[in-house]
Amino acid sequence: MINNLGNTMFDNKTILITGGTGSFGKKYVKTLLERYNPKKIIIFSRDELKQFEMQQEFNQPCMRYFIGDVRDKDRLRRAMRGVNYVIHAAALKQVPAAEYNPMECIKTNINGAENVIDAALDNDVEKVIALSTDKAANPINLYGATKLASDKLFVAANNIAGGNRTTFSVVRYGNVVCSRGSVVPIFQKFIEQGQDHIPITHEEMTRFWISLQQGVDFVLTNFERMLGGEIFVPKIPSIRITDLAKAMAPDLPVKIIGIRPGEKLHEIMCPSDLCFDTYEFDDHFVIAPGIKFSSRCNDFDTNALNEQGKKVEVGFEYNSLSNPHFLTIEEIDAFNIQALI
Ligand SMILES: NC(=O)c1ccc[n+]([C@@H]2O[C@H](COP(=O)([O-])OP(=O)(O)OC[C@H]3O[C@@H](n4cnc5c(N)ncnc54)[C@H](OP(=O)(O)O)[C@@H]3O)[C@@H](O)[C@H]2O)c1
């Protein structure tokens, strides 16, 4: 991953983060404050308690806290006044909750995306990056399907921008190690409870593996790379879930409990059907828009940092199983999971 030390892109800028009290948002704010001198950082989310708790940790003069729901366009419009950059991280993201409450997930993840786009255009925001997930590639669950719809909205938004300067891109990555609801805290709970096994849904399951800091760094860099319309995908390692269990609890046997509704055996980040639009760069892929923009850049083999990519081979798929880079048990161990929990 490229790090951003030494550049000044976010100095004296106003940055709004929807879902800023979440795992990603807090790490993003911490990193911005460590590396830059932003004019203002606006946290936009619903729950006052999470904001109150975040204020205890981040109370610098540049911090602003807005209670608001991305379903509420007027509130977003107000919050985005004078904003230069937006990171759209707010989402409902628990797969089972989305299956049971589909309209709630649609309202937040799809209608919310539309509202973010409209508010950004109305306020002439310079750049917007929306966070996506591997579950949005060839989705089989509603969460993934809503994130795919959201991705499509952000890509197409570059075409409705007209004379407006706002550019929109998407960053897609896989499971964030130790994020809320992910497998690591679940295994950890079993270990702490002194259970006699680790539950695994399927012994062949693989997942992509990225740390929160790597995700944050990738988003920061893509603000510099983006032309508008790209889906940025980082090159990251895969893990076998059985290896993760062995790394976390070497002495405990695993128990196979069966694949859950909406769960895939392997995740995809760049589907093979999009190979004709996919470019490979040194440390990432770019899925270029399937549509042509009428008054925007349509060439995605060179980015705004002048990095060169090349088209992937016909049929190429970036998949957690076929990924050439797998972590060994020792490498997972070296990741120091305990420090991240
Ligand atoms: N974690 C992962 O493994 C992973 C992997 C790939 C992609 N992503 C994507 O990364 C993004 C951030 O994930 P995360 O792990 O930081 O999630 P998180 O910890 O669950 O945080 C979600 C944030 O969104 C806010 N939010 C939820 N509904 C909202 C609404 N209607 N209006 C305004 N704010 C709302 C939440 O605060 P309130 O509840 O207070 O509103 C919270 O601040 C999501 O878009 C997710 O799809 C995550």
Side-chain angles (χ1 to χ4, degrees):
M1 297 275 169
I2 292 174
N3 84 42
N4 313 73
L5 294 174
N7 91 38
T8 57
M9 171 152 194
F10 295 95
D11 287 350
N12 206 26
K13 299 287 184 188
T14 298
I15 303 128
L16 180 139
I17 308 166
T18 70
T21 55
S23 325
F24 177 90
K26 282 194 281 191
K27 191 70 160 185
Y28 200 86
V29 167
K30 185 168 186 290
T31 308
L32 278 177
L33 292 169
E34 281 167 2
R35 296 187 191 165
Y36 302 92
N37 289 305
K39 184 170 165 191
K40 255 190 248 172
I41 299 178
I42 303 169
I43 303 299
F44 185 97
S45 64
R46 296 165 306 170
D47 176 26
E48 58 184 350
L49 179 62
K50 283 195 217 102
Q51 290 203 359
F52 173 77
E53 286 167 353
M54 188 168 173
Q55 280 176 48
Q56 312 307 303
E57 195 180 344
F58 301 103
N59 63 356
Q60 291 77 351
C62 67
M63 295 301 300
R64 303 285 186 280
Y65 291 86
F66 269 59
I67 298 283
D69 191 320
V70 292
R71 299 180 188 184
D72 179 349
K73 193 181 297 193
D74 288 341
R75 184 68 177 148
L76 270 172
R77 232 183 233 132
R78 176 66 57 93
M80 277 191 210
R81 277 194 195 158
V83 166
N84 301 99
Y85 303 130
V86 171
I87 298 103
H88 178 45
L92 292 185
K93 59 164 216 195
Q94 297 300 327
V95 170
E99 299 295 303
Y100 282 105
N101 306 276
M103 275 318 297
E104 297 308 305
C105 188
I106 288 167
K107 284 181 201 162
T108 295
N109 295 359
I110 302 180
N111 300 354
E114 183 193 15
N115 293 338
V116 168
I117 290 165
D118 286 347
L121 288 172
D122 290 349
N123 284 286
D124 207 23
V125 167
E126 288 165 48
K127 297 184 184 198
V128 179
I129 285 189
L131 298 189
S132 179
T133 161
D134 48 10
K135 293 178 177 54
N138 296 359
I140 60 157
N141 52 54
L142 187 81
Y143 166 58
T146 60
K147 293 296 274 189
L148 175 62
S150 166
D151 294 354
K152 298 276 182 198
L153 286 169
F154 279 101
V155 169
N158 292 283
N159 223 21
I160 56 171
N164 195 301
R165 66 176 168 168
T166 315
T167 50
F168 301 87
S169 294
V170 172
V171 165
R172 173 183 292 171
Y173 52 70
N175 283 20
V176 174
V177 185
C178 297
S179 66
R180 290 195 303 164
S182 69
V183 63
V184 168
I186 294 172
F187 284 2
Q188 183 63 19
K189 199 165 153 208
F190 265 72
I191 296 164
E192 282 166 6
Q193 287 172 346
Q195 302 270 359
D196 60 359
H197 70 278
I198 295 279
I200 288 200
T201 59
H202 196 287
E203 60 200 337
E204 284 173 37
M205 186 169 284
T206 62
R207 284 294 178 264
F208 287 106
W209 179 266
I210 187 169
S211 74
L212 205 43
Q213 188 66 60
Q214 286 172 318
V216 163
D217 290 347
F218 189 59
V219 172
L220 284 166
T221 306
N222 290 327
F223 267 102
E224 296 174 74
R225 286 179 171 142
M226 65 186 273
L227 301 164
E230 308 94 329
I231 298 177
F232 290 101
V233 173
K235 287 186 186 173
I236 50 178
S238 291
I239 56 150
R240 290 180 184 81
I241 296 297
T242 46
D243 287 348
L244 175 65
K246 278 186 205 134
M248 290 184 69
D251 301 327
L252 282 186
V254 300
K255 184 172 161 191
I256 306 301
I257 57 170
I259 205 152
R260 292 177 308 177
E263 194 175 43
K264 284 184 182 174
L265 201 48
H266 311 293
E267 295 285 5
I268 296 170
M269 287 216 270
C270 305
S272 59
D273 293 315
L274 296 181
C275 63
F276 299 106
D277 297 324
T278 304
Y279 294 85
E280 180 169 8
F281 290 74
D282 278 351
D283 67 351
H284 68 284
F285 297 95
V286 162
I287 304 174
I291 54 170
K292 291 280 166 251
F293 298 142
S294 48
S295 56
R296 287 284 171 92
C297 173
N298 281 297
D299 295 323
F300 293 92
D301 56 352
T302 306
N303 63 29
L305 286 178
N306 224 16
E307 297 166 329
Q308 307 277 320
K310 59 177 192 322
K311 275 261 174 82
V312 298
E313 283 179 11
V314 175
F316 171 81
E317 181 167 272
Y318 191 41
N319 176 312
S320 63
L321 178 65
S322 56
N323 187 359
H325 184 188
F326 263 83
L327 295 183
T328 62
I329 297 174
E330 292 70 30
E331 285 169 328
I332 298 173
D333 223 10
F335 217 86
N336 199 4
I337 294 169
Q338 296 303 328
L340 296 168
I341 291 173

